[in-house]
Amino acid sequence: MPIAVDIDVMLAKRKMSVGELAERVGITPANLAVLKNGRAKAVRFSTLAALCEVLECQPGDLLRWEETEEAEGASGSTAGSTMA
């Protein structure tokens, strides 16, 4: 998935455990694990807002886009080709 989740980075910066974050945000540790391991299909804005409030960060500190090989191949690059 091209969206990477960096909750672990913010947890380390804030010296906070997954359990503490889950409790303060109001979600189960299992659901937080799904999100932080990149297996979530969606995240509610209210959950994202609560994560940002507790971790004192911006959404971009938690989520980032990574280009995948599929996206690179589909970009229509013509490097190395010649046109007559």
Side-chain angles (χ1 to χ4, degrees):
M1 179 186 265
I3 302 296
V5 181
D6 290 329
I7 291 175
D8 284 336
V9 173
M10 292 307 298
L11 282 171
K13 286 181 178 180
R14 302 298 185 248
K15 296 182 169 83
M16 188 180 298
S17 71
V18 172
E20 181 183 353
L21 178 61
E23 183 178 324
R24 291 178 63 184
V25 169
I27 62 176
T28 66
N31 283 341
L32 181 57
V34 167
L35 179 59
K36 80 179 192 71
N37 293 326
R39 295 188 318 257
K41 299 289 184 199
V43 61
R44 288 186 177 137
F45 280 176
S46 59
T47 301
L48 183 57
L51 286 166
C52 290
E53 182 178 351
V54 170
L55 293 170
E56 299 177 353
C57 66
Q58 294 294 313
D61 297 323
L62 302 177
L63 304 172
R64 65 186 156 80
W65 181 78
E66 292 182 336
E67 191 166 0
T68 62
E69 289 182 24
E70 289 177 12
E72 291 170 3
S75 65
S77 174
T78 57
S81 64
T82 58
M83 299 195 57

